[in-house]
Amino acid sequence: MQKDRVLNLLHLHFIVFIWGFTAILGKLITIDSLPLVWIRMGMATLFIAIYIFFAKFSIKVSRKTLCWLVGGGIVVALHWVTFFLAIKVSTVSVALAMMSTGAFFTALMEPFWYKRKIIGYEIFFGLMVVAGLYLIFKVETEYVYGMIIALISAFLAAVFSLINGKLVQNHKPSVISFYELGVGMVFLSVILLFKGDFNMSWVMLPQMDWVYLIVLALICTAYAFIASVKIMRVLTPYTVMLTTNLEPVYGILLAWFIFGSEEKMKPMFYVGALIILSTVIANGILKQRANIKKRVPKI
């Protein structure tokens, strides 16, 4: 049992490393964020459809569930478009630092989503995140536009996680992904048709772009999502949450290694990013302790 836990923990770190690599791929792929996400969602939908076919899962859902899936698909499409746009107009490091606020946006919205009272330390942590953001905005003024776009993306990621938090209770993750990615692709198709941006230049992409897109869709999207859910059968949500918070760390280190001086930020940027990341982790630890106390029976 202990061996299984260690192997799954190593697997989880590998998955989080892959998620961090997503930002690198977004920087390397030469096309704009909108067609990039359209191709990513289309390819990932195909891969997951093949998986569902061989696994013989039913894809029947109720009308109410379908409405939630449509909403989730639109939100995740917008999240990914803004995420890759933020990377292209700023840097990987800046975008990932802003994206680390996603978990905290989720914590702030939870009281309204689940209709519970706001906890005192949530307000304090909110102020800490604002302080971290202030430091980053103050020293990296040339990337303000990218920071704002990345914060919008982080907010959309939080909305997406809350929607899926309810859906995953009664439906298979692969089925949820199939619908949401498919809906997201249709949604982006409508936007691209409206803009008149569908053209054959997408097919004539550089060879390495197609390699990066296949890795992005197959490994960073389809595989990573399904594998992360299976891991939760062995590891606790608390362990998964804390490890997932390492995504911006892995991503920033990879960006340093691959892009060099282009990703070098001012010292106060890293102070601000550390404040945000520490706040998110501390919030998760306190919430986990509170959940444990609720489950312990009183004598």
Side-chain angles (χ1 to χ4, degrees):
M1 184 66 182
Q2 182 63 25
K3 184 179 178 181
D4 286 344
R5 190 179 185 283
V6 171
L7 289 174
N8 276 274
L9 187 58
L10 290 173
H11 192 188
L12 176 59
H13 276 275
F14 176 65
I15 292 168
V16 174
F17 180 84
I18 288 172
W19 284 336
F21 192 64
T22 299
I24 306 298
L25 291 172
K27 194 77 171 179
L28 291 172
I29 296 170
T30 59
I31 57 175
D32 292 337
S33 60
L34 194 55
L36 187 161
V37 176
W38 184 84
I39 295 172
R40 176 190 188 181
M41 297 188 94
M43 294 175 71
T45 302
L46 177 61
F47 293 140
I48 292 175
I50 293 170
Y51 172 79
I52 289 173
F53 176 78
F54 283 105
K56 298 180 180 179
F57 293 152
S58 171
I59 60 171
K60 287 185 178 180
V61 295
S62 67
R63 187 172 297 179
K64 181 180 179 181
T65 298
L66 183 59
C67 290
W68 280 106
L69 289 167
V70 169
I74 293 172
V75 170
V76 75
L78 293 173
H79 157 60
W80 279 343
V81 169
T82 49
F83 173 62
F84 287 116
L85 177 60
I87 290 171
K88 289 181 179 297
V89 300
S90 58
T91 69
V92 172
S93 298
V94 166
L96 287 176
M98 296 298 104
M99 286 302 300
S100 65
T101 63
F104 200 76
F105 277 130
T106 304
L108 291 179
M109 288 189 286
E110 275 181 358
F112 305 98
W113 188 258
Y114 294 108
K115 297 179 180 178
R116 66 166 174 81
K117 292 182 179 180
I118 296 175
I119 305 171
Y121 65 73
E122 291 176 336
I123 298 174
F124 171 74
F125 285 150
L127 294 174
M128 291 296 293
V129 170
V130 170
L133 290 173
Y134 171 76
L135 288 177
I136 294 174
F137 271 85
K138 187 176 180 181
V139 297
E140 300 295 344
T141 53
E142 62 186 298
Y143 298 124
V144 168
Y145 175 62
M147 292 182 208
I148 293 172
I149 296 297
L151 283 173
I152 293 172
S153 183
F155 175 77
L156 291 169
V159 173
F160 176 67
S161 69
L162 291 173
I163 291 173
N164 274 7
K166 287 195 172 184
L167 288 172
V168 80
Q169 295 173 11
N170 301 304
H171 300 87
K172 292 186 184 331
S174 53
V175 174
I176 294 172
S177 299
F178 170 73
Y179 275 105
E180 289 182 337
L181 294 176
V183 166
M185 186 189 70
V186 172
F187 172 70
L188 294 182
S189 298
V190 173
I191 294 177
L192 288 166
L193 282 170
F194 182 77
K195 292 179 64 180
D197 282 349
F198 268 121
N199 55 71
M200 290 303 294
S201 63
W202 295 3
V203 182
M204 305 303 292
L205 292 175
Q207 185 178 356
M208 286 310 299
D209 267 14
W210 279 112
V211 172
Y212 296 144
L213 283 165
I214 290 171
V215 171
L216 182 63
L218 178 58
I219 298 177
C220 299
T221 308
Y223 159 74
F225 188 92
I226 294 171
S228 65
V229 174
K230 286 186 176 180
I231 279 172
M232 292 190 72
R233 294 174 180 172
V234 178
L235 302 178
T236 64
Y238 173 61
T239 301
V240 174
M241 180 276 301
L242 283 182
T243 308
T244 302
N245 283 325
L246 291 173
E247 179 186 345
V249 177
Y250 286 146
I252 289 172
L253 289 175
L254 278 169
W256 275 349
F257 180 75
I258 294 172
F259 300 116
S261 59
E262 182 183 341
E263 288 291 329
K264 188 176 181 180
M265 303 288 113
K266 296 181 179 69
M268 290 308 293
F269 166 86
Y270 299 106
V271 174
L274 182 61
I275 290 173
I276 294 170
L277 186 60
S278 301
T279 299
V280 170
I281 293 174
N283 180 65
I285 291 172
L286 289 177
K287 275 187 167 51
Q288 177 67 14
R289 287 180 178 176
N291 289 335
I292 292 173
K293 287 181 180 178
K294 286 180 182 178
R295 291 195 294 266
V296 174
K298 295 181 180 179
I299 300 175

